[in-house]
C-alpha cells in the first residue's frame, strides 16, 4: 500500500456477537476516519474465537455479518486491508516463533486468561493461555505501530510490545513497538438506556441498541429509558440517567433539537415523553440505513468472497515481507 500515509494501523475485530452503537461510536467510526490517513489493516479474529468457541458451525455467518456490518458503517475494502485472520497463514508461523519468547508465568498472570479460567474451568486450553501471543503475531506481522483498541486490550498490547522488544534484542530489529491509538481523542463512551453503565453486548440487551435492531425494537428500547417527572424549578442539576439521554441525543440528533430540549430542561418545562420520541426517531434514522446496507452485503456472497480475497492478498503480501526478515535475522536460512 501507499507509503504517503502517516503510519500503519492494525486492529482485530471479534466475530462473536452483534455490533451496537457503543461499538460504532467507540471504534468503527474511528476506523473509518483512520482509513483516509493511515495504512490500515483490519482483521476478523476468527482463530481467536476458537480458544473459547471450538464449535465452528457459527463461524461463517458470523464472519460474513461482521464484514458486512463494518463495510456498511463505512470501511472501504479498497482503501484498507479487510481480511480474516485464518486466511493469513503466515500468522501461524510468527505465532510459533513468538511462543518461544513468551513465558508461562507472564501468560498465566494475564487478566483475561484468569477470567476465562474462572468462567470455563473445563476448557483451559493452550490456545487460551497463548491468546496474547497470537494477538501479538497479528500486529507484528503487519509491523503496525498504531493499534486502536479499548481499555480491555491494553494489557495484551503491552505484552505485544514486550514480545516485539525481546525478538528485536535477541535476533535483530524487525518490529516497531505497537501502541494503543485513539485518533488523539478520548474514547467515546456510549451510555446504556437503563441509566447506568454503557452499551454492551453481554450485559443488559434492552439498554443497548444493536445495528441489526429493527425500527420497532429501537423505538421500544428508547421509550423504556429511565426518566422521572422532570425538574420542578429552573436550572436543576441533571440526574445521570437524564444526562445519559442527552448524551445519546448528541450522537444522533441535530444540534438545534438538542438545544431546544436543553432549554426546556433549564426552564423546567421539559416533556421526557416527547424527548424520547424524538430520540427514537433520530436513532431509527441513523440505524436503519446501516442495517439495510448490512443485509444487502450479507446476502451478496460473491461480493463478500471478493472482499476476503482482496484483503487476504494485501495482508499476506506484507506478512510475507515480514516473515522473510524474521527468518533471516533468526538465522533460519541455511543456504
Ligand atoms: N483480542 C482482541 C479483542 O478481543 C481482538 C484482536 C485479535 C486484536 N487480534 C488483534 C485487536 C490485534 C488488536 C490487534 O477485542
Amino acid at each position: 500500500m501507499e507509503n504517503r500515509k502517516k503510519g500503519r494501523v492494525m486492529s482485530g475485530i471479534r466475530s462473536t456477537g452483534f455490533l451496537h452503537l457503543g461499538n460504532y461510536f467507540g471504534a468503527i467510526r474511528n476506523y473509518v476516519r483512520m482509513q483516509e490517513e493511515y495504512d490500515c489493516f483490519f482483521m476478523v479474529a476468527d482463530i481467536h474465537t476458537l480458544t473459547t468457541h471450538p464449535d465452528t458451525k457459527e463461524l461463517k455467518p458470523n464472519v460474513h455479518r461482521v464484514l458486512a456490518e463494518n463495510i456498511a458503517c463505512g470501511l472501504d475494502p479498497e482503501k484498507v486491508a479487510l481480511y480474516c485472520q485464518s486466511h493469513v497463514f503466515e500468522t501461524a508461523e510468527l505465532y510459533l516463533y513468538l511462543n518461544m519468547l513468551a513465558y508461562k508465568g507472564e501468560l498465566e498472570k494475564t487478566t483475561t486468561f484468569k477470567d476465562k479460567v474462572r468462567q470455563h474451568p473445563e476448557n483451559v486450553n493452550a490456545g487460551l493461555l497463548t491468546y496474547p501471543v497470537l494477538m501479538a503475531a497479528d500486529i507484528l506481522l503487519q509491523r503496525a505501530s498504531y493499534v486502536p483498541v479499548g481499555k480491555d486490550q491494553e494489557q495484551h498490547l503491552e505484552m505485544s510490545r514486550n514480545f516485539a522488544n525481546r525478538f528485536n534484542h535477541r535476533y535483530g530489529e524487525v518490529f516497531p513497538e505497537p501502541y494503543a491509538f485513539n485518533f488523539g481523542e478520548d474514547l467515546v463512551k456510549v451510555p446504556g438506556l437503563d441509566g447506568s453503565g454503557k452499551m454492551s453486548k453481554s450485559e443488559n440487551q434492552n439498554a443497548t441498541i444493536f445495528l441489526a435492531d429493527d425500527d420497532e425494537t429501537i423505538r421500544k428500547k428508547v421509550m423504556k429509558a429511565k426518566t422521572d417527572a422532570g425538574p420542578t424549578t429552573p436550572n436543576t442539576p441533571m440526574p445521570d440517567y437524564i444526562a445519559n439521554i442527552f448524551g445519546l441525543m448528541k450522537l444522533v440528533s441535530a444540534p438545534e433539537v438538542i438545544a431546544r430540549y436543553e432549554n426546556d430542561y433549564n426552564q423546567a418545562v421539559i416533556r421526557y415523553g416527547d424527548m424520547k420520541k424524538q430520540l427514537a426517531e433520530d436513532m431509527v434514522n441513523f440505524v436503519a440505513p446501516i442495517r439495510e446496507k448490512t443485509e444487502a452485503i450479507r446476502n451478496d456472497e460473491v461480493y463478500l468472497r471478493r472482499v476476503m480475497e482482496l484483503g487476504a492478498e494485501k495482508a499476506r503480501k506484507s506478512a510475507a515481507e515480514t516473515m522473510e526478515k524474521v527468518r533471516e535475522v533468526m538465522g533460519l536460512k541455511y543456504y
Side-chain angles (χ1 to χ4, degrees), residues 20-31 33 149-151 181-192 197-200 244 246-252:
H20 50 74
L21 283 183
N23 300 128
Y24 179 84
F25 289 104
I28 304 173
R29 194 177 53 164
N30 278 352
Y31 296 174
R33 289 167 60 187
V149 284
K151 274 244 169 301
F181 177 56
N182 298 314
F183 218 64
E185 281 170 33
D186 286 339
L187 284 181
V188 181
K189 255 211 207 120
V190 179
K198 52 182 185 142
M199 286 197 184
S200 129
N244 280 352
F246 274 101
L248 289 167
M249 254 196 162
K250 290 199 175 112
L251 299 172
V252 294

Side-chain angles (χ1 to χ4, degrees), residues 51 77 85 95 135 138 144 149 159 166 183 325:
T51 61
Q85 190 176 31
Y95 166 67
M135 178 162 156
D138 297 331
V149 284
M159 295 171 84
R166 271 177 224 162
F183 218 64
K325 288 209 170 92

Side-chain angles (χ1 to χ4, degrees), residues 19 73 123 150 161 172 180 185-186 190 197 201 208 227 230 291 335:
L19 292 183
C73 288
N123 185 23
R161 282 196 293 279
E185 281 170 33
D186 286 339
V190 179
K201 275 182 200 170
T208 299
T227 52
R291 182 185 64 232
Y335 46 82

Side-chain angles (χ1 to χ4, degrees), residues 10-12 14 43 45 48 131 135 138-139 147 149 153 156:
M10 193 275 147
S11 196
R14 261 180 285 198
M43 175 199 86
H48 272 119
Y131 184 110
M135 178 162 156
D138 297 331
I139 300 166
V147 186
V149 284
Q153 297 297 313
H156 290 159

Side-chain angles (χ1 to χ4, degrees), residues 1-2 5 7-11 30-43 75-83 142 144 146 148 181 183 311 314-315:
M1 271 194 270
E2 317 88 315
K5 298 208 170 163
R8 198 167 268 206
V9 165
M10 193 275 147
S11 196
N30 278 352
Y31 296 174
V32 172
R33 289 167 60 187
M34 284 171 200
Q35 72 185 347
E36 307 300 333
E37 292 176 40
Y38 295 83
D39 200 3
C40 292
F41 291 76
F42 295 120
M43 175 199 86
L75 267 199
D76 182 347
E78 302 286 333
K79 286 185 186 156
V80 305
L82 180 62
Y83 59 101
Q142 306 304 344
Y146 308 110
F181 177 56
F183 218 64
K314 292 181 195 172

Side-chain angles (χ1 to χ4, degrees), residues 253-273:
S253 302
E256 57 281 9
V257 169
I258 299 160
R260 194 171 76 229
Y261 285 103
E262 272 171 350
N263 195 44
D264 284 357
Y265 182 88
N266 290 330
Q267 308 288 318
V269 296
I270 191 160
R271 294 162 61 138
Y272 290 135

